[in-house]
Amino acid sequence: MSVKTTCAYCGVGCGIVATRTGERSVRIEGDPEHPANRGRLCSKGTHLGETVGLEGRLLHPMIGNRRASWDKALDLVARRFRDTIARHGPGSVAFYVSGQLLTEDYYVANKLMKGFIGTANIDTNSRLCMSSAVAGHNRAFGEDVVPASYDDLDAADLIILVGSNTAWCHPIVYQRIRARCDAGAKLVVIDPRRTETAEEADLHLAIRPGSDVALMNGLLAWCRDAGALDRAFLDAHVTVPEGFWTLADGDLWSTARTCDVPAADLRRFYELFAATPRTVTLFSQGVNQSLAGTDQVNAILNVHLATGRIGKPGAQPFSITGQPNAMGGREVGGLASTLAAHMDFAEGNRAIVQRFWASPTIAAKPGLKAVDLFRAVGEGRIKALWVMATNPAVSMPDAGRVREALAGCPFVVVSDVMADTDTGAFAHVRLPAAAWGEKDGTVTNSDRTISRQRAIFPLPGEAKADWWIVTQVARRMGWKTAFAYDRPADIWREHVRLSTYRNDGTRLFSLTGRASGGNADYDAMEPFRWGGTPFADGRFPTPDGRARLVPVTQKPLAAPLRDWPLTLNTGRYRDHWHTMTRTGLSPKLARHREEPLVEVHPDDAARLGIANGALARVATPQGESLYRARVTDAQRPGELFVPIHWTHRTSTGGRTGLLPRPLADPISGQPGFKATPAAIAAVATTWRGFLILAGEPAKRPDCLWATRVAVPSGSLWELAGDGGTGLLDTALPAGERIEAVDTARGTRRVAVLAGGRLAAALFLTERGELPPRDWLIDQLREAEAAPTLLAGRAPGPAIDRGPIVCTCFDIGLRTIVAAIREQQLADVAAIGAAIGAGTNCGSCRPALARLITGETTHAA
Ligand SMILES: Nc1nc2c(c(=O)[nH]1)N[C@H]1C(S)=C(S)[C@@H](COP(=O)(O)OP(=O)(O)OC[C@H]3O[C@@H](n4cnc5c(=O)[nH]c(N)nc54)[C@H](O)[C@@H]3O)O[C@H]1N2
Ligand SMILES: Nc1nc2c(c(=O)[nH]1)N[C@H]1C(S)=C(S)[C@@H](COP(=O)(O)OP(=O)(O)OC[C@H]3O[C@@H](n4cnc5c(=O)[nH]c(N)nc54)[C@H](O)[C@@H]3O)O[C@H]1N2
Ligand code: SF4
Ligand SMILES: [Mo]
């Protein structure tokens, strides 16, 4: 039987039709009827089926390292929170939650903290993600409302992507954008890096990091001078503060200098915008994750308001969300700076919410925002902390300090689906949560569409839904009736009623008409978008009904520091999700990028002696981490880019969270992850190698560089070091060993067999070559290992497909390049027809396009 549900990953919120095919297996297809994706899925969604096994799951409550009953664990959590509050006051406890909770989970966590414990010390990883957009919307519109919908993309003539690597991070939105561009719309990408998204744009402005305000203010000035402002809209619907227009006084050339882009390109962008009423500007972390993130958001909103490009088909500012339920979290009010249901802490709102909840108390003021919250944990002011569905030991800035804070906190509870996470290692109590495929509830995507996530599997082991866990603790803390829910639908109906309670239209967030249904209606709920087309009538949810232009000025861009001369940028890879607790289970997704890379411009690499493919150490005042260097002119000189995905569990390097400063935008509290002063140095190694294992090693291989990805039936570790390799043998399983040593090349190859099957292969070399990994990986699944194991390849000629580009069909770079060359393939469609690459999810189509350009240039 098929179940309609929603993808576990990004804020695009694609609908999925899932058909269970076995106890823990499922066939995944795009839901042709879901408005977000109309049947399409990207590489991550397509391979969700690879992540639903029970490997690595936390299946029982744990107190310390001991299995405990639910009763014991819940009693302990309730008692420790109650005691801490009794002794030190409500401000001494905190929750740190996540945009990966469902709305119902989020609602009860928020209600418990703000309405019953009575403090607003509940913050969420959305602080690291969307809070600048929230603050910008509040300043401009009076409420955190995203006016756009995906349909606007189909109506736009110009699409601008600011600080968004859409092709990798919101692939299905990107496919929609491409389709529109194929029909004639223009695409402009504003990103310091030449991403795959930027490569396909009509215009790419590789601006200096943090110069977005200058760029947008320059655009505003251009529009004013070109007569492209919408004076009628401004007069009727927008408050313009005195002196506002003096912001926009810079000329084109000085803006081009500030942003460090050619003036001709800048002019092209400005002319295009001024001439194109139907323009959608999408923005994400390149804008939000900045110490001036809120100003950057308002700089974009200002341009759209001043030119009347808002609330109209194809004309919108569009903040796209990262996590599957970042928006649902904002709707319930799960940030420390909001109260509930799009209400803040104003007296009247507090009274409304308290009466609605019939609660004994209500938080009086905003609580601690994530960075301050973990600082308070570190300083001993927070004495009991409950982390749900997020991995702050990895993802917070200055994560080294966050780890110390967690280690020193008297009581840490972690609710997670996985047994072994970096954050879980610090927990006194670990609670097993239901994972995607087992959970039941709702999520809201980037364009306000609310969809159901539905269970495909029964709850495994003793896992429980997050809403259940929270309500059980609340009841044990003494609030039985207020948390007497039996099912997500009960919570949903309450959430709906709060959205309409005492809401005479002043709050746009309203789910009116959705509360009356029974449980069967909830089960059958179809995706719907709340709020219709906000602002279409020019009315905004401010007291006077007018939007506000917010004067923002470009902050001076700091000159490079002597010891930290480079700017470190951080972000995402196409096929990995955050701290990889789930994508790390998928062999197919693992192969797109197997190691954490630091991308460096060729000039910097030459100056600092960093070779392509060698190891390099990236350091900041907060900490240091290792990466493999990729020398590429897609980076601007002076800037580095590293991924956020690798953790202590999965690598000795690539631990990016250790590097950013614990500094945040003063308005939103969002950390500036995209620009940290840094230095880089080459790291010498004397040997390199790899380890392929059935399953996982007993412990992480002990050497300078060890980084893991999943492969079918096991794991692959890439290794490098500069001393002895003896310690590596401790990572090998028991079994029959065969070994070959070539002293001339300093090569050692060991295979371990168990019952005739390959259990492990360790290949190390000082000066020699290493064979491609694919054949050995395949050997893990053979009942009888091949006799040529130590050669690392099948008898006969070697095949090396190269790095996997098309994850759906497992097609490597070399295969694609060979096909382009031999069959003279001229476009992405031709590659698809010839070898199938790019014909399923389409996530690799930008990469294929680049290979074609590369090959054509090569040939010419
Ligand atoms: N594959 C994949 N997809 C994901 C996720 C994932 O982990 N993996 N995570 C999801 C989540 S939670 C989020 S929040 C989104 C994030 O989605 P994105 O925001 O698209 O992703 P990032 O890679 O964090 O950053 C986007 C771009 O901002 C650019 N940038 C850096 N500094 C500046 C600047 O000063 N100005 C401008 N204009 N640009 C700058 C970076 O170079 C980078 O290319 O992705 C979601 N989708
Ligand atoms: N340097 C740098 N740091 C960043 C960013 C950056 O661009 N640069 N981006 C930031 C952004 S935008 C984000 S969103 C964060 C993401 O960072 P995190 O939220 O820390 O990353 P995840 O790996 O998604 O963590 C989710 C955790 O919840 C668990 N989990 C999954 N589903 C459930 C569930 O249903 N219930 C429970 N209880 N647990 C579940 C997973 O196993 C995992 O351990 O990282 C932020 N950190
Ligand atoms: S774009 Fe990909 S990751 Fe995002 S919701 Fe759709 S299928 Fe899932
Ligand atoms: Mo995010």
Side-chain angles (χ1 to χ4, degrees), residues 84 193 269 340 387 423 428 452 505 562 587 611 793 803 820 828 841:
T84 308
R193 296 192 299 145
F269 169 45
V387 177
T423 303
H428 300 93
R452 290 276 276 110
R562 192 174 52 103
R793 59 180 173 84
I820 295 173
V828 175
C841 80

Side-chain angles (χ1 to χ4, degrees), residues 165 169 191 193 210 212 284-285 569 572-574 576 674:
N165 187 6
C169 296
D191 191 314
R193 296 192 299 145
D212 293 80
S284 55
Q285 299 317 335
N569 180 1
R572 289 158 172 81
Y573 285 168
R574 188 188 83 190
H576 289 306
K674 296 285 188 256

Side-chain angles (χ1 to χ4, degrees), residues 136-137 139-141 212-213 216-221 223-224 228-230 233-234 238-241 244-245 247-248 273 281 283 294-310 316-317 547-554:
H137 290 150
R139 287 206 295 187
F141 309 146
D212 293 80
V213 170
M216 290 296 155
N217 281 356
L219 175 57
L220 201 57
C223 290
R224 180 197 53 192
L229 299 183
D230 188 337
F233 187 80
L234 282 170
V238 184
T239 300
V240 185
F244 178 82
W245 295 107
L247 292 178
F273 185 96
T281 303
F283 58 97
T294 309
D295 282 356
Q296 293 181 169
V297 169
N298 284 111
I300 293 171
L301 301 182
N302 284 344
V303 171
H304 276 265
L305 285 169
T307 56
R309 286 165 171 72
I310 189 164
Q316 298 275 23
R548 300 178 282 232
L549 291 181
V550 179
V552 291
T553 49
Q554 175 65 46

Side-chain angles (χ1 to χ4, degrees), residues 8-9 57 96-102 105 124-130 285-286 288-289 322-324 326 386-398 414-424 431-436 439 453 464-466 469 568-572 577-583 641-645 647 656-660 670-674 676:
Y9 298 114
R57 283 289 297 277
Y96 184 59
V97 304
S98 161
Q100 291 167 76
L101 292 174
L102 302 179
D105 305 325
T124 136
N125 63 358
S126 285
R127 180 70 57 198
L128 318 181
C129 182
M130 300 314 303
Q285 299 317 335
N288 295 343
Q289 286 174 341
Q323 298 176 94
W386 188 353
V387 177
M388 300 175 209
T390 174
N391 200 353
V394 184
S395 55
M396 282 291 293
D398 200 8
V414 171
S415 301
D416 206 289
V417 303
M418 303 307 281
D420 183 17
T421 68
D422 282 26
T423 303
L431 302 174
W436 183 86
K439 308 201 280 189
Q453 269 197 19
K464 292 285 188 185
D466 286 291
I469 304 175
L568 178 70
N569 180 1
T570 64
R572 289 158 172 81
W577 176 264
H578 298 165
T579 71
M580 277 202 275
T581 58
R582 288 169 302 155
T583 45
F641 179 81
V642 296
I644 61 173
H645 308 294
T647 66
T656 294
L658 304 177
L659 304 175
Q670 180 155 356
F673 281 124
K674 296 285 188 256
T676 307

Side-chain angles (χ1 to χ4, degrees), residues 503-566:
N503 185 358
D504 52 6
T506 43
R507 291 155 17 222
L508 290 192
F509 175 64
S510 162
L511 300 173
T512 178
R514 298 272 165 186
S516 51
N519 298 336
D521 292 307
Y522 180 75
D523 286 343
M525 193 195 293
E526 301 274 345
F528 70 96
R529 183 183 304 121
W530 66 262
T533 312
F535 316 155
D537 55 359
R539 280 193 58 78
F540 292 85
T542 50
D544 62 4
R546 297 169 77 88
R548 300 178 282 232
L549 291 181
V550 179
V552 291
T553 49
Q554 175 65 46
K555 299 255 166 3
L557 294 163
L561 304 172
R562 192 174 52 103
D563 293 337
W564 313 105
L566 305 173

Side-chain angles (χ1 to χ4, degrees), residues 27 96 200 247-248 462 516 518 696 707 835:
R27 189 173 67 242
Y96 184 59
E200 293 197 302
L247 292 178
E462 295 182 280
S516 51
E696 303 291 332
T707 172
I835 54 173

